[in-house]
Amino acid sequence: MATTGAEQIFKEFREHSAAEFFKKNRQMLGYSGAGRSLVTIVHEWTSNALDACEEGGILPDIEVSIKKAENNRYTIRVSDNGPGIPKNFVGKALATIFAGTKFHRYMQQRGQQGIGAAGCLLFSQITTGKPIFVKSSIGKGKAYSCHVALSTANNKPIITDMVDIDDKFQGLSVEGEFADIRYEVGEHSAYEYARRTALSNPHAQIKLTDPNGQEFLFVRSVNKLPARPPPAKPHPAGLGTSDLLDFAHVSQSRKISSFLVDTFARTTSNKISEIREVDPSIDMDEDPKRLTWEQAEKLVNAFKKIKWMAPDASYVVPIGEAQIKIALKNILNPDHMSVTERKPQVFRGGIPFVVEVAVAYGGNSGKKEAEGFSGNILRFGNRVPLLFDSGSCGISKAVNDIDWKRYNIDMETQPVSIFVNISSVYIPYSGVGKEAISPEDEIIEEIKLAVMEAARGVQRYIKGREQVNFNANRYKTVARYVKQLSGDISDLTKADRQKIEKKLEGIVSKHFPKSRDEDKEEATGQETEEEPT
Ligand SMILES: Nc1ncnc2c1ncn2[C@@H]1O[C@H](COP(=O)(O)OP(=O)(O)OP(=O)(O)O)[C@@H](O)[C@H]1O
Ligand SMILES: [Mg+2]
């Protein structure tokens, strides 16, 4: 058999840009299936809008418009009232894969990767060949508009039709024309995405206009921006050698000791002394730019032998119990809800995260089935609804692992919603599409504890309600005899019939009270639970 030489084979050798890669692998960004692709576009642009408004210190007003265009195409526009994008950054921000203001910052935000916006553009180019139309404010009464496209060969932006306009518009508006997408209704729809975004962001106002022109307004129910999380410093526990080297080689510090103190959380001069004691062979006076793999490995091993304080919890800002209650009441209006907010925890040794859970029962909770209801899981990562890939998501795994029957909850038949939000400076999504959270042990454990705590609150509510129903039925049955009996006794004894009837009624209602004993339950319950007023 004839063999082929390396020279011949390597004639085929090529380099590829990130844009070419995702053009070929669009499913990795969430562009698979017409229904899902439409939601992905809404999701990327909406989460960017929310991030931008919050960073600008502005209460978000977001408008999502989905219109049917010719040839089975759709025009989607998302606009916000945020700070906008400076002209000289618009191409990089919206038309370059792996570029943005978030990836390099160790900070709790919705966006993490610098892919989302360019992914939307790539998808419009792939399906209709059209650029994205952008309008952005650039100061009082001034704005600009332009078209942005992406040269996939080199992952570079192409900006055309740039014009300055006198316009009072504040924020950013992005608009594109797409094919291979479809507006659907149900659990995996743009409507559901907007509804769940409103649930986890009660400080935002969201207007969705569907292809029939129908408007859905999710009004702001909290007039206060969430606290802005500060950029965190990475925690030394859980740090790998390669990461440590990357940090060291760009450090401005003169010595390794000051580099460690400046770069990492909880690293004080006392800790430097401890590291010295653990491994005296580490040269702390060396220039960090010259740190070798060997020395870095020694440092990482020393980190593992030291007791560190947990990362500062202020880096992570959860939605908060009060706001979750307001949002749930506003959107689900349940008969009962129990909310649990756990203390910050750490995964992979040093990444802080907080889990918060609500279990809502009745009202618009759960999923409407052809007959009756079933339970559903509302998953969120840094307040962003996760609608797809539930099968591979750590949140679903944790919730489904729970023996719900123990809590008198039947997820197959009852109107119950399990709301789970994870807040972190870094959410470990299992793919670039950011729809599922990787099942890290510490995260799964926390979710389970939080869900079980909230479930106990709902369990007491359900039990109490069952008791009330039981008592009411018994009361009804026994009360039927009261009238008859008091008449008979009165006839026999000549005593006052009404008095006898009242007495008998008193005895019956004592045995079958109409409401449960709320005080007793409050005294024993640890969970935060409340029935909406
Ligand atoms: N509505 C907006 N207003 C202001 N800036 C924006 C807006 N949308 C995007 N940007 C800027 O464009 C950058 C790129 O957005 P993109 O969605 O591609 O990445 P990201 O949000 O940083 O991360 P991810 O890929 O996880 O979404 C953002 O980091 C932000 O700086
Ligand atoms: Mg984004």
Side-chain angles (χ1 to χ4, degrees), residues 450-516:
V451 173
M452 288 191 293
E453 213 171 299
R456 280 197 291 275
V458 174
Q459 179 184 34
R460 278 204 300 278
Y461 166 77
I462 293 173
K463 271 189 171 170
R465 216 183 50 160
E466 281 169 1
Q467 187 66 42
V468 169
N469 287 342
F470 174 83
N471 286 347
N473 286 338
R474 274 298 167 95
Y475 181 86
K476 249 194 207 157
T477 313
V478 181
R480 261 189 245 136
Y481 298 103
V482 167
K483 262 202 163 60
Q484 177 72 40
L485 201 59
S486 20
D488 292 349
I489 295 172
S490 163
D491 286 348
L492 285 171
T493 61
K494 305 291 175 228
D496 183 48
R497 196 183 65 83
Q498 270 183 347
K499 271 190 190 160
I500 299 168
E501 194 174 321
K502 217 170 164 193
K503 264 219 163 110
L504 280 176
E505 253 173 17
I507 294 168
V508 176
S509 40
K510 202 169 158 197
H511 277 276
F512 304 111
K514 281 182 189 148
S515 66
R516 63 207 164 108

Side-chain angles (χ1 to χ4, degrees), residues 232-237 260-275 303 306-315 344 346 349-350 352:
K233 285 181 174 178
H235 195 276
L260 294 178
V261 173
D262 291 346
T263 314
F264 300 109
R266 306 297 196 200
T267 313
T268 56
S269 50
N270 282 348
K271 288 286 160 205
I272 300 294
S273 310
E274 281 185 49
I275 295 169
F303 290 166
I306 285 176
K307 222 174 153 12
W308 294 97
M309 266 177 86
D312 185 344
S314 67
Y315 295 144
V346 167

Side-chain angles (χ1 to χ4, degrees), residues 44 47-48 102 111 116-117 434:
E44 295 296 354
S47 54
N48 280 350
K102 305 173 203 169
K434 298 199 299 181

Side-chain angles (χ1 to χ4, degrees), residues 43-45 47-49 51 102 110-117 434:
H43 152 71
E44 295 296 354
W45 281 349
S47 54
N48 280 350
D51 269 347
K102 305 173 203 169
R110 295 170 183 79
Q112 288 189 174
Q113 308 172 143
I115 301 179
K434 298 199 299 181

Side-chain angles (χ1 to χ4, degrees), residues 45-63:
W45 281 349
T46 305
S47 54
N48 280 350
L50 287 164
D51 269 347
C53 288
E54 287 169 18
E55 181 148 25
I58 298 160
L59 279 170
D61 255 321
I62 297 183
E63 291 192 16

